[in-house]
Amino acid sequence: MIPKSFPKLPDFPPGEVWLAGAGPGDPRLLTVLALHAIGQADDIVYDALVDRRILDLCRDGAELIAAGKRGGRPSPHQRDINEVLIERARMARRVLRLKGGDPFVFGRGWDEASALTRAGIRFRVIPGLTAGLAGTALAGIPATSRDTNHAVVLAAGHRAEEGGSADWSALAKLGQPIVLYMPMSQLAEIVTSLQQGGLASDTPAALIQSAATDEERVVDSTLGTLVADAARHGIGSPSIVVIGAIAALRRELLGSLVGWR
Ligand code: SAH
């Protein structure tokens, strides 16, 4: 089935850590390399957002270790997750750190990569489909289209424990679409700041909850009605919010776009 010209998949040496993205949900959106890694790992340290059916792909005897961060619930400290990765690698295990989406997009992947580097542990990064681009695509929202935009902003809505939040009025002035990760806790404040920055209330928007899962929901909205629409439809986490002209383009595709489920 796989032709000889296909590149050889790398061996997973004991004592290495692979930081892999699992994509936004559905196991079929895994990369070939991520699937390969899951089949070889001794330990899989996984996020709350990783689909159970993906973990079921592990080899017999693999140890599954939950390390997810999830808004509202007690979650392990990043330091402790780093420690687990380092300890397990030092025990000569093949350690797979499996994260939702892409490990280097709002996923603390860099923190882990730098901790591993300081500890002298070899690691590999396996990118994944990030929710803000794959979840939007599945909903029929292109990240770019020639008629609407030449850039797209990926922004974290949730204020990280350290560091501040984005400069929303500056982003409003860019006039480029904004894809918000972790949008729900600060949505009202973000909308107000974008409006104060000059973004019109009738700017198209969309809410996408649980993209690429059986619970996927897409709600068409506008900047001015986002907060009310989110409440009315009971949109919770995990969700992506898209604000900008691209959000309206999906409405033109609905006659032919085959749904994900
Ligand atoms: N590394 C991940 C993002 C982690 S931050 C990635 O690249 O996708 C967690 C946030 O990602 C969630 O709050 C939500 O905004 C978004 N997210 C992840 N999976 C999602 C999904 N299936 N549907 C909608 N949003 C998702």
Side-chain angles (χ1 to χ4, degrees):
M1 195 178 75
I2 297 183
K4 281 213 183 67
S5 56
F6 195 84
K8 188 182 162 305
L9 292 165
D11 287 330
F12 198 155
E16 264 189 24
V17 177
W18 288 9
L19 301 175
D26 194 295
R28 292 167 294 181
L29 294 174
L30 284 171
T31 64
V32 173
L33 265 176
L35 180 64
H36 170 71
I38 294 165
Q40 290 193 64
D42 298 315
D43 297 328
I44 303 182
V45 184
Y46 65 95
D47 264 7
L49 285 175
V50 174
D51 194 297
R52 180 70 227 181
R53 294 166 301 172
I54 289 176
L55 298 175
D56 287 344
L57 297 165
C58 71
R59 66 167 183 75
D60 281 348
E63 199 173 328
L64 302 180
I65 302 160
K69 295 183 165 283
R70 200 65 204 272
R73 278 190 230 155
S75 56
H77 286 291
Q78 188 58 49
R79 254 195 333 273
D80 299 336
I81 299 174
N82 297 350
E83 268 313 300
V84 171
L85 301 179
I86 291 166
E87 257 169 41
R88 296 274 165 163
R90 287 190 173 144
M91 290 158 63
R93 311 276 287 175
R94 297 175 187 84
V95 186
L96 177 61
R97 175 68 174 116
L98 195 58
K99 293 165 169 288
D102 182 280
F104 276 8
V105 180
F106 303 127
R108 298 289 193 103
W110 192 86
D111 300 48
E112 293 169 10
S114 63
L116 292 166
T117 304
R118 284 194 302 275
I121 289 165
R122 286 164 58 88
F123 68 93
R124 183 185 282 270
V125 179
I126 302 176
L129 292 176
T130 189
L133 300 176
T136 44
L138 292 169
I141 298 173
T144 64
S145 88
R146 270 201 308 186
D147 297 337
T148 53
N149 60 309
H150 55 266
V152 61
V153 176
L154 304 183
H158 181 76
R159 256 185 238 121
E161 299 107 64
E162 65 272 2
S165 60
D167 180 346
W168 301 110
S169 55
L171 290 182
K173 290 186 178 68
L174 276 181
Q176 301 294 331
I178 301 168
V179 177
L180 290 176
Y181 290 68
M182 300 167 280
M184 300 318 288
S185 62
Q186 310 284 327
L187 192 58
E189 291 88 337
I190 294 169
V191 165
T192 305
S193 305
L194 290 173
Q195 287 171 324
Q196 284 166 354
L199 209 57
S201 293
D202 63 356
T203 303
L207 295 134
I208 306 171
Q209 177 168 359
S210 301
T213 76
D214 290 340
E215 286 79 47
E216 178 176 293
R217 284 197 299 154
V218 184
V219 174
D220 293 308
S221 184
T222 62
L223 182 62
T225 56
L226 252 179
V227 174
D229 286 340
R232 189 156 53 88
H233 292 272
I235 297 293
S237 181
S239 293
I240 289 291
V241 169
V242 185
I243 299 165
I246 55 171
L249 295 179
R250 75 178 224 100
R251 297 167 210 173
E252 297 173 30
L253 307 179
L254 291 180
S256 284
L257 178 70
V258 176
W260 180 244
R261 272 173 277 176

